[in-house]
């Protein structure tokens, strides 16, 4: 295959991956838009017709209905994140093609379940969102591995994919527009289901079928038409998965993700009730703010690469300053230190987002939406790039999956927190937002730990070299 053909194929692989990531996450990240649509279709409306006078509140709408939607989102978000560990082990053990085909099957099954659901069978949303979450994250995990094809731009490509995954609110902004134009839920989701054939074609023609080594060896080829040998690269001794799992660096990374992920998940799960509270349940204002939220999330695909560019630029600067030491271990240490700025910026953004969310003024929430988008793009792109940079490629799927699985378990706390807000706090989110500001500030322990680790490792290498 000539060099021009290889570049075209690589470009197609990248571009179709971006489109794919946008399409596969839409339900969860576009949840507020979908809730607005489902409420108009009277999903769980029977919960508001009880004789309990507290079931409907003129300020915040139907509390039991909101709680049911919050529970569905919590379960879907849990499966998306917890399912990553299965996806990671599957990817590391059996390769990209097996993982992708299973993901496509699960996602298509989920969209079909929504297509054939109705207000009378609204409970189908529980398994549907679970399948969509599990299938979508499998596709995301395989696309992150595809970043290995792009050499020095690997971090940028990884963050583009995670950003596209976060920009999937575009799908349900379009779904909302189509619904308001007169298309039924069944028609919309049957159309989405049919699009899965495109993901199957990409799997066969445009992505590697097994594993992608890093650094990429010369002559590596992939896809259906392979003209040259499939080179696996040199085998190097790597630490065990267990040693990576219990390392201080991975554990602080886990804490960093858990705290920030819980903050973001709680915001998405409570956004619709929050907007009802701030607008006195005015449907027109809620719709306008919901559209504004969805629109700002479209920019994730443009914002996320900024984090990748920060990482790649600092890696190149660090390598140029340490050009004398060309070992893989030394380069990995330099690359790892380059992540400190990105990790710290993510925590700062999360604190600012929490501060903006704590201000009970509807117009301020436009700023909250923007900060949410930037924080989320930095978080998910950052954790993917950090694990890819810091740990051996053969353990990426398992470590990435473990991170999101543990985050999924912690994210289950968002539902009892939602109940606390509706109950003891009497719909007052101020105290919860203050608590989150304190919690997310604790995430600074991770960038501080990475910086200290890199400095200690450099000192040890300096002592060894003098000897």
């Amino acid at each position: 295959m000539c060099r021009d053909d290889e570049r075209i194929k690589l470009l197609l692989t990248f571009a179709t991956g971006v489109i794919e990531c946008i399409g596969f996450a839409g339900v969860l990240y576009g949840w507020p838009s979908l809730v607005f649509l489902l409420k108009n279709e009277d999903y769980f409306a029977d919960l508001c017709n009880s004789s309990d006078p507290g079931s409907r509140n003129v300020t915040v709408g139907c509390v039991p209905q909101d709680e049911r939607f919050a529970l569905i989102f919590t379960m879907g978000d849990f499966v998306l994140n917890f399912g990553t560990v299965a996806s990671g082990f599957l990817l590391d053990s059996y390769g990209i093609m097996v993982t992708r085909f299973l993901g496509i099957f699960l996602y298509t099954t989920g969209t079909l379940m929504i297509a054939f659901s109705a207000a009378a069978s609204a409970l189908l949303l529980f398994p549907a969102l679970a399948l969509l979450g599990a299938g979508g994250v499998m596709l995301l995990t395989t696309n992150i591995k595809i970043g290995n094809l792009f050499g020095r731009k690997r971090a940028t490509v990884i963050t583009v994919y995670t950003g596209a995954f976060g920009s999937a609110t575009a799908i349900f902004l379009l779904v909302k527009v189509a619904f308001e134009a007169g298309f039924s839920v069944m028609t919309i989701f049957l159309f989405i289901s049919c699009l899965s054939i495109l993901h199957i074609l990409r799997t066969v023609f445009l992505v590697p079928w097994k594993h992608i080594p890093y650094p990429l060896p010369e002559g590596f080829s992939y896809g259906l038409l392979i003209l040259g040998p499939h080179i696996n690269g040199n085998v190097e001794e790597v630490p065990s998965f267990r040693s990576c799992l219990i390392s201080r660096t991975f554990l602080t990374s886990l804490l960093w993700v858990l705290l920030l992920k819980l903050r973001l998940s709680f915001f998405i799960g409570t956004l619709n009730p929050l907007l009802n509270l701030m607008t006195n349940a005015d449907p027109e204002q809620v719709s306008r703010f919901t559209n504004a939220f969805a629109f700002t999330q479209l920019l994730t695909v443009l914002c996320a690469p900024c984090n990748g560019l920060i990482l790649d630029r600092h890696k190149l600067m660090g390598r140029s300053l340490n050009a004398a030491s060309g070992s893989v271990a030394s380069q990995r240490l330099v690359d790892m230190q380059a992540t400190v700025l990105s990790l710290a910026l993510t925590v700062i953004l999360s604190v600012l987002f929490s501060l903006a969310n704590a201000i009970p003024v509807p117009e301020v929430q436009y700023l909250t939406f923007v900060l949410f988008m930037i924080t989320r793009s930095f978080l998910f792109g950052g954790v993917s790039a950090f694990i890819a940079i810091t740990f051996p490629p053969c353990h990426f799927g398992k470590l990435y999956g473990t991170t999101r699985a543990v985050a999924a378990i912690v994210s289950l706390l968002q539902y009892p927190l939602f109940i606390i807000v509706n109950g003891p706090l009497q719909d007052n989110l101020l105290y919860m937002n203050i608590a989150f500001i304190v919690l997310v500030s604790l995430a600074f322990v991770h960038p501080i730990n990475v910086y200290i680790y890199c400095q200690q490792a450099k000192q040890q290498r300096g002592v060894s070299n003098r000897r």
Side-chain angles (χ1 to χ4, degrees):
M1 191 181 296
C2 70
R3 190 168 182 82
D4 288 341
D5 288 344
E6 290 174 349
R7 288 177 177 174
I8 292 173
K9 187 174 184 179
L10 195 62
L11 180 61
L12 285 173
T13 300
F14 170 73
T16 54
V18 173
I19 296 172
E20 182 175 80
C21 286
I22 290 175
F24 268 91
V27 170
L28 289 177
Y29 292 135
W31 183 241
S33 296
L34 185 58
V35 168
F36 182 83
L37 181 153
L38 296 175
K39 281 186 174 181
N40 279 277
E41 286 286 282
D42 292 329
Y43 278 62
F44 302 116
D46 58 307
L47 298 176
C48 307
N49 298 326
S50 68
S51 58
D52 181 6
S55 67
R56 180 173 289 279
N57 185 298
V58 294
T59 303
V60 298
C62 177
V63 174
Q65 185 185 34
D66 286 335
E67 289 181 352
R68 182 62 58 86
F69 281 121
L71 180 59
I72 292 173
F73 173 78
T74 300
M75 296 303 297
D77 189 52
F78 171 80
V79 173
L80 184 149
N81 289 281
F82 194 80
T84 315
V85 69
S87 173
F89 276 89
L90 190 67
L91 176 63
D92 289 344
S93 300
Y94 297 100
I96 292 174
M97 177 174 281
V98 172
T99 307
R100 286 181 59 81
F101 274 129
L102 179 58
I104 294 169
F105 171 76
L106 295 176
Y107 190 89
T108 306
T109 303
T111 56
L112 287 173
M113 291 181 75
I114 295 180
F116 291 103
S117 69
S121 56
L123 291 178
L124 279 175
L125 293 177
F126 280 96
L129 246 70
L131 292 170
L132 291 168
V137 81
M138 287 184 177
L139 274 294
L140 173 64
T141 306
T142 57
N143 277 312
I144 290 174
K145 285 291 287 185
I146 289 172
N148 289 353
L149 296 173
F150 295 86
R152 292 183 301 175
K153 298 178 181 178
R154 177 172 61 156
T156 301
V157 171
I158 289 174
T159 54
V160 168
Y161 283 149
T162 55
F165 197 70
S167 291
T169 48
I171 296 300
F172 279 86
L173 182 58
L174 294 176
V175 166
K176 183 172 178 290
V177 171
F179 179 77
E180 291 174 341
F183 290 92
S184 67
V185 172
M186 175 178 287
T187 301
I188 294 170
F189 278 88
L190 284 176
F191 176 75
I192 293 175
S193 301
C194 292
L195 294 178
S196 292
I197 187 65
L198 301 178
H199 305 298
I200 294 174
L201 293 175
R202 180 171 184 263
T203 301
V204 174
F205 289 97
L206 290 176
V207 301
W209 294 350
K210 285 293 185 179
H211 303 283
I212 310 174
Y214 188 83
L216 204 65
E218 291 290 334
F220 183 84
S221 56
Y222 59 93
L224 183 63
L225 300 177
I226 298 177
L227 303 182
H230 210 296
I231 302 174
N232 293 321
N234 297 324
V235 179
E236 60 174 306
E237 186 176 350
V238 297
S240 66
F241 169 63
R242 182 179 181 277
S243 65
C244 295
L245 193 65
I246 63 175
S247 66
R248 188 182 70 186
T249 304
F250 180 73
L251 293 177
T252 58
S253 171
L254 199 58
L255 176 66
W256 180 77
V257 173
L258 297 183
L259 294 174
L260 303 188
K261 175 66 172 62
L262 177 61
R263 179 67 190 101
L264 297 178
S265 296
F266 180 77
F267 176 75
I268 297 179
T270 59
L271 178 58
N272 195 267
L274 173 68
L275 295 177
N276 277 306
L277 180 66
M278 288 188 175
T279 63
N280 293 321
D282 183 342
E284 291 186 4
Q285 290 192 63
V286 172
S287 178
R288 185 173 69 251
F289 278 104
T290 301
N291 288 343
F293 173 75
F295 179 76
T296 56
Q297 304 319 300
L298 304 184
L299 303 177
T300 304
V301 70
L302 302 177
C303 179
C306 296
N307 192 18
L309 292 171
I310 291 172
L311 289 167
D312 285 335
R313 180 176 176 80
H314 278 257
K315 283 193 299 180
L316 289 175
M317 291 173 61
R319 289 185 180 184
S320 63
L321 293 173
N322 295 272
S325 178
S327 67
V328 174
S330 298
Q331 290 182 0
R332 182 171 293 171
L333 185 63
V334 171
D335 293 351
M336 184 177 172
Q337 185 168 343
T339 66
V340 173
L341 176 60
S342 169
L343 299 173
L345 277 175
T346 306
V347 182
I348 293 172
L349 288 166
S350 185
V351 172
L352 293 175
F353 154 68
S354 299
L355 285 169
N357 189 222
I359 300 174
V361 178
E363 289 72 20
V364 175
Q365 300 315 304
Y366 291 121
L367 175 61
T368 303
F369 296 162
V370 173
L371 290 172
F372 172 87
M373 177 270 296
I374 300 173
T375 302
R376 189 180 67 186
S377 65
F378 270 61
L379 172 63
F380 293 117
V383 67
S384 305
F386 179 79
I387 293 174
I389 288 170
T390 306
F391 301 102
C394 61
H395 298 320
F396 171 80
K398 297 185 286 292
L399 291 172
Y400 181 68
T402 300
T403 299
R404 298 200 65 148
V406 177
I409 296 173
V410 174
S411 292
L412 290 175
L413 292 173
Q414 65 182 295
Y415 184 68
L417 291 177
F418 180 79
I419 299 300
I420 291 173
V421 170
N422 281 339
L425 297 183
Q426 298 181 344
D427 301 315
N428 189 344
L429 285 165
L430 177 63
Y431 298 108
M432 192 65 69
N433 283 324
I434 293 174
F436 270 121
I437 291 171
V438 175
L439 278 177
V440 297
S441 298
L442 297 177
F444 276 113
V445 70
H446 180 46
I448 292 173
N449 174 63
V450 173
Y451 178 79
I452 293 174
Y453 174 86
C454 292
Q455 294 303 311
Q456 291 175 344
K458 284 182 178 180
Q459 291 176 1
Q460 291 176 358
R461 289 182 181 276
V463 171
S464 300
N465 290 336
R466 286 196 296 270
R467 290 178 180 175

